């Protein structure tokens, strides 16, 4: 054997050294950056990792993790509880979520997730745990709340997947229990044209001194926060258009300025000539009211105002809607129901669904048609036909006949 071969044969096997406890790293990862810190536990070494969007943020996170490790605060992935993971989710999304979303998600976590799953180790969490939670909540809460709980839990567990705590999101494929539709939810939320007229008549004395808020909500489908936040600077009476730019949301009882609920909610809506005249007349009355009130008047710039000129609390608009509905003999009226009414009446008169979707600020036309659309009884009669009509191959005549019946 050659000397070189002998040297290789005699060389001792070099074992790969273990990563030191507390060692950290920062490396690119799928267009982002991954931070890792090694933690030594009784069962061996584990790595705590975080994925961040920028290298600068990665350096800050790495410094924080190393500092936590030196103080004995950094836990290994196997000891991470669902409660701690949910806290991490809130902190990672705090700057991203809107104030109302943040408050709502914090309440969901505090009231519904932590009491039932908080103490469970994330690595021990199973789909059965998640299903048991959904089944328990379904006994007392609405399908809407269950969907919100599911969304928060899925986001948290996806964060655990990204950070290498668990290999998969166990909540991803767990379906919600099938809920029976309550009698109240089956009730049509949209008013008919005659019911809307009765409601507006009941609200007319109020609107004389506060502005045609229910008129505009029923016509354009504004959300209550959008109506409360509407300013004159966003109403162009010369061009006949209204811009929805702001949203006054209620966060733990307090009205908080914000933006529309979704990106599509930031929208521009055309106004009919009679609507422009209505708003122009109110603008003049509002100015006169300000002169009458004098020094106590607050020139807030809002379209719909209290007797002092300040914007309405959104909850107040909801209360008033119920009160005027009761006066009109319509006990099921809600302010949000006026949004359903706007969608349904426009669709019933033949306005294309894509147009109504844009007016209401929906991101998806399916939401407009499947959730907001009420088919009125007169529409069924409108399209009734006998077999002779059904067998006719004349869609053009049918369309013209429909238009004549609708009155366009």
């Amino acid at each position: 054997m050659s000397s070189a071969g002998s040297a290789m044969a005699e060389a001792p096997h070099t074992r790969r050294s273990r990563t030191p406890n507390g060692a950290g790293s920062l490396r690119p990862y799928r267009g982002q950056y991954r931070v890792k810190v090694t933690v030594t536990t009784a069962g061996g070494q584990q790595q705590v990792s975080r994925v961040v969007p920028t290298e600068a943020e990665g350096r800050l996170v790495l410094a924080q993790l190393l500092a936590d490790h030196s103080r004995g605060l950094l836990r290994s992935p196997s000891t991470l509880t669902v409660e701690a993971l949910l806290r991490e989710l809130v902190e990672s999304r705090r700057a991203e979520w809107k104030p109302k979303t943040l408050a709502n998600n914090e309440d969901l976590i505090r009231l519904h997730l932590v009491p039932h799953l908080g103490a469970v180790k994330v690595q021990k969490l199973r789909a059965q745990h998640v299903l048991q939670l959904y089944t328990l909540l379904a006994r007392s809460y609405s399908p809407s709340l269950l969907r919100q709980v599911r969304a928060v839990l899925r986001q948290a567990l996806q964060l655990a997947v990204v950070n290498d705590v668990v290999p998969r999101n166990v909540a991803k494929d767990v379906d919600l229990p099938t809920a029976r539709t309550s009698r109240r939810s089956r009730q049509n939320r949209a008013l008919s044209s005659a019911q809307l007229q009765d409601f507006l008549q009941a609200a007319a004395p109020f609107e004389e001194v506060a502005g045609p808020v229910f008129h505009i909500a029923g016509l354009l489908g504004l959300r209550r926060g959008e109506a409360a936040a509407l300013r004159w600077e966003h109403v162009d009476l010369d061009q006949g258009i209204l811009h929805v730019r702001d949203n006054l949301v209620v966060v733990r009882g307090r009205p908080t300025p914000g933006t529309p609920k979704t990106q599509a909610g930031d929208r521009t809506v055309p106004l009919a000539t009679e609507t422009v005249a209505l708003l122009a007349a109110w603008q003049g009355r509002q100015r006169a009211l300000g002169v009458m009130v004098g020094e106590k008047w607050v020139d807030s710039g809002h379209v719909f105002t209290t007797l002092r000129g300040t914007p309405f609390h959104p909850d107040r608009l909801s209360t008033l809607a119920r009160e005027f509905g009761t006066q009109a003999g319509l006990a099921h009226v809600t302010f949000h129901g006026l949004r359903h009414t706007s969608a349904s009446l426009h669709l019933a008169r033949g306005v294309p669904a894509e147009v109504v979707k844009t007016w209401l600020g929906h991101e998806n036309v399916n939401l407009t048609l499947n959730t907001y659309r009420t088919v009125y009884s007169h529409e069924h009669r409108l399209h009734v036909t006998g077999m002779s009509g059904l067998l006719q191959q004349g869609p053009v005549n049918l369309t013209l006949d429909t238009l004549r019946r609708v009155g366009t």
Side-chain angles (χ1 to χ4, degrees), residues 389-403:
L390 185 63
L391 295 176
Q392 285 181 356
Q393 296 182 359
V396 175
N397 293 335
L398 179 60
T399 301
L400 291 176
D401 181 58
T402 299
L403 290 174

Side-chain angles (χ1 to χ4, degrees), residues 114-152:
V114 169
H116 301 291
L117 298 179
V120 180
K121 301 294 191 297
V122 175
Q123 292 185 338
K124 298 292 185 180
L125 187 68
R126 299 292 179 263
Q128 186 62 27
H129 295 126
V130 178
L131 181 58
Q132 289 173 353
L133 170 67
Y134 294 163
T135 302
L136 179 64
L137 293 179
R139 297 173 185 170
S140 305
Y141 298 98
S142 68
S144 174
L145 183 134
L146 263 68
R147 288 192 294 270
Q148 294 175 56
V149 168
R150 178 179 62 178
V152 173

Side-chain angles (χ1 to χ4, degrees), residues 319-332:
T319 300
L320 289 168
R322 290 192 296 270
E323 291 178 357
F324 296 138
T326 300
Q327 292 177 25
L330 305 167
H332 64 284

Side-chain angles (χ1 to χ4, degrees), residues 79-125:
T79 65
L80 182 69
T81 63
V82 172
E83 180 177 4
L85 177 64
L86 290 166
R87 286 201 302 267
E88 287 190 16
L89 174 68
V90 171
E91 292 308 314
S92 66
R93 298 287 194 274
R94 186 174 294 277
E96 174 186 336
W97 284 340
K98 291 184 178 181
K100 186 175 180 63
T101 302
L102 175 62
N104 184 61
N105 288 346
E106 286 179 333
D107 289 342
L108 291 173
I109 290 170
R110 176 175 55 85
L111 297 174
H112 305 298
L113 285 167
V114 169
H116 301 291
L117 298 179
V120 180
K121 301 294 191 297
V122 175
Q123 292 185 338
K124 298 292 185 180
L125 187 68

